[in-house]
Amino acid sequence: MTLLFVCITSISATGDDPKRDVILHKVIPTTRSIVEVPEATISNDVLCVSFRSSGMYTLCISDRFGSPVYISTLPADGMEYSYDLSGIGEGVFTLTLEGVSGVYEGCFSMN
């Protein structure tokens, strides 16, 4: 079973480039359990991600065609990690985090 996710972005007006939240959802949800979900925001072409789980995760950003445009690792330890996305261009992208506790996806736009 695959979870269909809705892309929702909240914007807080703080200067010229508002901070945008990337809403992440677990792709294959488990039932009757508490699931920690990663937190992600974008401001000034910088993606900030934190995750209170433990273990290493693969962070992949794909364009609207599903082609990866950025790949990195995320050590899930509760700390916040920053990734410079200034080189990926404009458009709608999908952020995917994959690791020991599952796969999480969310979408965002760069303009």
Side-chain angles (χ1 to χ4, degrees):
M1 174 159 117
T2 302
L3 176 70
L4 175 66
F5 65 92
V6 178
C7 177
I8 301 173
T9 316
S10 66
I11 298 175
S12 60
T14 56
D16 294 336
D17 186 32
K19 180 178 173 183
R20 297 168 289 161
D21 294 332
V22 179
I23 309 300
L24 296 165
H25 299 278
K26 191 160 186 176
V27 174
I28 301 175
T30 55
T31 57
R32 299 180 189 205
S33 65
I34 297 173
V35 177
E36 289 285 334
V37 178
E39 296 178 6
T41 59
I42 298 174
S43 181
N44 295 322
D45 294 338
V46 175
L47 170 68
C48 295
V49 181
S50 67
F51 194 13
R52 292 191 180 132
S53 183
S54 61
M56 293 301 289
Y57 283 76
T58 301
L59 180 145
C60 180
I61 296 175
S62 303
D63 63 15
R64 64 186 178 126
F65 302 109
S67 299
V69 295
Y70 188 91
I71 298 174
S72 188
T73 57
L74 171 72
D77 58 7
M79 298 294 291
E80 184 174 274
Y81 293 90
S82 300
Y83 303 91
D84 182 5
L85 302 182
S86 60
I88 68 170
E90 295 183 348
V92 176
F93 298 91
T94 301
L95 167 63
T96 304
L97 291 172
E98 184 173 353
V100 294
S101 69
V103 179
Y104 302 86
E105 288 186 343
C107 64
F108 63 94
S109 64
M110 298 285 287
N111 46 346

